[in-house]
Amino acid sequence: MVQITDTRVAALKPGAPRLWDDKFSGFCVHTAAKATRKGQVRKTFYLFYRPNGGGRSAAQRWYKLGVYAPKVFGAAKARAEAERLIGLIRQGQDPALDRKKRREADG
């Protein structure tokens, strides 16, 4: 069983396949294909879900939770945010669509 932890995320190399959490469906971390000029590798947490009760006919959504930054935004904070969003999704909300609408309104 794989659980996303700060140790696992820190060890990911550039271009590694997405690391999916076996205990939390839809929670993953994506690693950039190449390192930056400074040798850093961008690692981003995502939540994958289907709104409106899910099912194969529902749209697929990717919600960017944030970029990994040790001691600032790690696996525990990303997991907590994903759990909060899952609660909203179960209530019938669509966080990705809501975010898109807010951005469009801000123009």
Side-chain angles (χ1 to χ4, degrees), residues 9-93:
V9 174
L12 290 173
K13 304 289 184 211
R18 279 193 184 103
L19 179 63
W20 292 89
D21 193 304
D22 288 342
K23 295 184 179 183
F24 191 149
S25 180
F27 180 55
C28 71
V29 63
H30 172 78
T31 307
K34 296 180 181 179
T36 64
R37 290 181 187 164
K38 295 180 181 179
Q40 298 172 337
V41 181
R42 186 178 182 98
K43 301 162 188 174
T44 309
F45 295 102
Y46 286 95
L47 176 64
F48 173 77
Y49 69 96
R50 292 177 187 261
N52 304 321
R56 291 205 177 272
S57 62
Q60 298 178 1
R61 301 270 199 259
W62 287 95
Y63 190 95
K64 181 179 173 181
L65 299 167
V67 176
Y68 174 70
K71 300 181 183 177
V72 178
F73 191 77
K77 282 189 179 180
R79 180 177 280 103
E81 177 64 5
E83 288 172 351
R84 184 186 73 79
L85 292 171
I86 289 293
L88 296 175
I89 294 163
R90 288 185 178 144
Q91 294 174 4
Q93 295 182 34

